[in-house]
Amino acid sequence: MADEEQLRLDLEELQHLESVAKRPRVASLLASEIRNIEAKLSVATAAVAQAGVSAEKPSVAVTASRSYVTLGSFSWDQDNDKIKIYVFLEGVDEEKMETFFKPMSVDIKFHDIQGKNYRCAISKLNKEIVPEKCKVAIKPTKVIITLFKASKGNWLDLYFKEDKLKPSLDKDRDPMAGIMDLMKNMYEEGDDDMKRTIAKAWTDARSGKTVDPLSRSL
């Protein structure tokens, strides 16, 4: 299940990058990696479903087969003690919401909203939080996710920043290692324009910006 979850998070990151990519070569490489991840995810999902049937737990297979619309656009602010994330989504039912808070990640799932499932996930936060204190408040037109900081102070960004696009050597500990390797290879093989494009796309995708990050580089 852990491997499947990481594959889903990798897929969401790649799909977001593909949505903002403008250069054909960048888009082609991202599309190729997306197909690769989708194939691996399909195998993992099938294995989970088969295990669920064998153990007479059909609910596992149903959960694994759910598809989600990624909520990549949201705003946030902070004070010395906490972070508040504002997700603009109407019709959320608290009974149909799943929350997963970990020291360095957040994953909130909203089920059955006008026939669709939505997800707001940050696979690696800028700094540690206190999972047991974090909470979600549902408002008529939005959802407010409150994260309590493990250490008081100001966060420069919501997301953890990799050092100059350099991938971690320990791929078992870093779920983004596969994507980072792909981006590093594209960056090293590309010309100056491609390097600027990849750097902007990666930085803006990780910061959750909705404005096209490539418009000024073309």
Side-chain angles (χ1 to χ4, degrees), residues 11-131:
L11 182 60
E12 289 171 8
E13 291 283 354
L14 284 168
Q15 288 172 334
H16 182 78
L17 287 171
E18 185 186 34
S19 72
V20 300
K22 294 297 182 182
R23 294 179 64 84
R25 175 172 169 76
V26 173
S28 176
L29 287 169
L30 287 170
S32 176
E33 185 64 14
I34 286 173
R35 289 193 296 270
N36 182 41
I37 295 293
E38 287 176 337
K40 291 180 180 179
L41 186 57
S42 177
V43 172
T45 300
V48 170
Q50 183 61 41
V53 172
S54 301
E56 297 184 355
K57 293 181 179 179
S59 60
V60 174
V62 172
T63 300
S65 65
R66 276 182 174 150
S67 60
Y68 293 87
V69 177
T70 301
L71 297 168
S73 177
F74 51 81
S75 59
W76 67 283
D77 62 20
Q78 65 177 312
D79 58 29
N80 203 41
D81 301 304
K82 59 185 177 294
I83 297 281
K84 284 192 175 183
I85 300 172
Y86 302 92
V87 179
F88 295 93
L89 185 64
E90 298 182 14
V92 175
D93 184 346
E94 186 174 0
E95 298 298 321
K96 297 180 181 180
M97 179 180 68
E98 292 183 272
T99 61
F100 303 92
F101 295 110
K102 295 181 180 180
M104 285 294 292
S105 67
V106 178
D107 191 356
I108 313 295
K109 297 178 180 179
F110 309 98
H111 298 142
D112 194 21
I113 300 177
Q114 297 182 350
K116 294 183 179 181
N117 302 312
Y118 294 85
R119 183 181 192 182
C120 179
I122 301 175
S123 60
K124 200 166 187 180
L125 292 162
N126 186 286
K127 296 180 182 179
E128 288 193 14
I129 59 174
V130 183

